[in-house]
Amino acid sequence: MSSETSSQKPRVAVVFGGRSSEHAISVVTAGAVLSAIDREKYDVLPIGITTDGRWALTADEPERMAITDRKLPSVAELAESADGAVVLPVDPTSREVVYSEPGQVPKVLGDVDVVFPVLHGPYGEDGTLQGLLELSGVPYVGSGVLSSAVGQDKDYMKRVFASFGLPVGPYEVIRPREWEQDPAAARKKIVDFAAEHGWPLFVKPARAGSSMGISKVDDLAGLDEAVEEARRHDPKILVESLLSGREIECGVLEFEDGPRASVPAEIPPVTAHDFYDFEAKYIDSATGLVPAPLTEEQTARVQELAVEAFEAASCEGLVRADFFLQDNGEFVINEINTLPGFTPISMYPRMWQESGVSYAELVDRLIQAALRRSTGLR
């Protein structure tokens, strides 16, 4: 540890915010994580990434990171300076973090032993930050480069799951060039998909989360608007058929002896919203049923599938796996989330709380799992 570090406790850098449309939810998640970290066991360094990509030193004040009166927080409001920047050297022989402001002598903030990224979406959850940390030689919480990228791109995620024999629902992909160069042909591709699988369809960004940019389309009239809404978040879009049934989620956590599944949860139908969208999740505080009212056999099956999905994508640390329990009694996997929400109402920590792992223990286990791992090939 450097002389700037006040003790021999492991130093945890909580990195949050980021350039994606999920910036605010990442800030909320960071507030919950910062509140839960045992300060007698770890030193903490909060680092926020602004929407334009600047790494900012922020105050360690979790209470300022919550959604208040439906207002979403941001890193810009929390940054100690409007133009100061935190730099993590891309040098595996040094974990020294430096802070600089224009016209000022750079200040050494000390070494970082592990990074706890709570970034959601592109430029954080998709393998980009993980790659930077691998180059820097700094251990971090969660999945590596490949698993993070697969977990972010729903197209390749579904391809991986299907190759491992996991049950995947019907979907179609519209790539950027298809819509930009020949929208009529791309539209026909979607209409043909609807003719085979029926309306309504869900149109969503291929590489976004928190239900950002998702539209439920009942007929051809709303298709173009839905595509453009999805493309505001990602030029590559995914079209899925409606899977009737119950929405079931299950958490996976890496223990010393390998991954284990939590008790599952159920997302009940949301009456005030067309589906479980961003507003339902974070603004109106829709609550899930934990544990889900399933039979013992159904619970065992979804837990088995969740761990299989974790292993199929070579994940590490944690995953939330989302399923549909269809009317015929079969589970279909919808997606995994390699950095699921840790907000106070998020399903992942609630499922583990019900499974006997408290929020604070959950955070501690994730940090410890990261400290046990090396960077590089493993």
Side-chain angles (χ1 to χ4, degrees):
M1 305 291 287
S2 83
S3 59
E4 293 290 327
T5 305
S6 60
S7 74
Q8 296 301 307
K9 294 184 290 188
R11 192 102 177 277
V12 181
V14 178
V15 180
F16 62 97
R19 294 162 56 190
S20 84
S21 54
E22 297 173 83
H23 176 95
I25 295 308
S26 175
V27 177
V28 175
T29 300
V33 170
L34 286 167
S35 296
I37 292 179
D38 185 350
R39 303 310 176 96
E40 294 185 3
K41 190 172 182 178
Y42 304 104
D43 282 327
V44 176
L45 178 66
I47 300 174
I49 301 178
T50 63
T51 53
D52 60 2
R54 177 174 61 93
W55 288 44
L57 187 64
T58 67
D60 186 6
E61 299 175 2
E63 65 277 3
R64 293 175 57 198
M65 300 179 181
I67 297 174
T68 306
D69 296 327
R70 301 178 76 87
K71 183 179 181 297
L72 299 173
S74 72
V75 168
E77 297 168 344
L78 299 163
E80 294 197 350
S81 165
D83 46 19
V86 174
V87 178
L88 182 68
V90 184
D91 177 1
T93 65
S94 171
R95 296 178 180 176
E96 196 171 75
V97 176
V98 176
Y99 178 71
S100 62
E101 291 191 53
Q104 302 290 325
V105 176
K107 177 184 177 183
V108 176
L109 298 179
D111 290 358
V112 165
D113 295 290
V114 63
V115 169
F116 198 132
V118 291
L119 295 129
H120 301 304
Y123 314 111
E125 189 181 352
D126 59 350
T128 50
L129 175 68
Q130 290 74 13
L132 172 64
L133 296 173
E134 292 285 351
L135 291 172
S136 302
V138 180
Y140 52 92
V141 168
S143 290
V145 175
L146 174 66
S147 306
S148 298
V150 168
Q152 186 65 35
D153 190 317
K154 297 177 179 65
D155 173 17
Y156 287 98
M157 180 199 305
K158 290 175 185 291
R159 292 172 187 265
V160 168
F161 289 158
S163 73
F164 276 82
L166 288 159
V168 175
Y171 71 100
E172 187 61 84
V173 178
I174 304 297
R175 301 181 185 280
R177 220 175 355 235
E178 292 181 86
W179 189 259
E180 291 158 8
Q181 295 184 357
D182 195 346
R187 195 178 297 110
K188 183 179 184 303
K189 189 175 174 181
I190 299 173
V191 171
D192 289 346
F193 177 80
E196 181 179 357
H197 299 287
W199 300 90
L201 302 177
F202 286 93
V203 178
K204 60 177 67 174
R207 296 164 292 193
S210 290
S211 299
M212 290 284 191
I214 299 179
S215 301
K216 182 182 178 185
V217 183
D218 293 314
D219 52 43
L220 187 59
L223 183 58
D224 280 21
E225 183 181 352
V227 169
E228 292 302 335
E229 170 59 21
R231 282 172 52 81
R232 284 199 315 110
H233 300 270
D234 184 355
K236 178 181 176 182
I237 67 168
L238 202 72
V239 179
E240 295 176 338
S241 62
L242 173 66
L243 292 175
S244 60
R246 299 160 62 187
E247 291 189 52
I248 306 295
E249 299 184 348
C250 190
V252 180
L253 177 64
E254 182 183 344
F255 285 75
E256 290 81 357
D257 59 351
R260 302 181 197 171
S262 70
V263 300
E266 179 170 5
I267 307 300
V270 186
T271 55
H273 300 264
D274 218 12
F275 58 96
Y276 194 47
D277 62 3
F278 178 87
E279 289 266 327
K281 280 184 179 179
Y282 299 110
I283 304 298
D284 293 340
S285 303
T287 56
L289 304 174
V290 188
L294 301 171
T295 66
E296 287 186 17
E297 292 77 11
Q298 289 171 330
T299 296
R301 177 58 177 158
V302 77
Q303 289 174 326
E304 176 186 31
L305 287 171
V307 172
E308 285 182 15
F310 183 96
E311 299 282 39
S314 299
C315 296
E316 295 170 287
L318 71 165
V319 149
R320 192 194 72 234
D322 300 346
F323 299 86
F324 290 105
L325 175 55
Q326 299 183 102
D327 297 337
N328 63 6
E330 297 295 321
F331 283 99
V332 170
I333 186 164
N334 183 36
E335 64 181 37
I336 58 170
N337 196 312
T338 55
L339 280 174
F342 264 77
T343 67
I345 63 170
S346 293
M347 297 308 298
Y348 186 84
R350 288 185 58 200
M351 288 187 286
W352 278 108
Q353 177 83 38
E354 189 68 25
S355 304
V357 180
S358 70
Y359 194 107
E361 183 186 348
L362 181 60
V363 169
D364 183 66
R365 281 192 171 277
L366 290 169
I367 294 171
Q368 289 298 316
L371 287 168
R372 286 195 301 270
R373 293 197 303 267
S374 64
T375 52
L377 298 178
R378 53 189 183 272

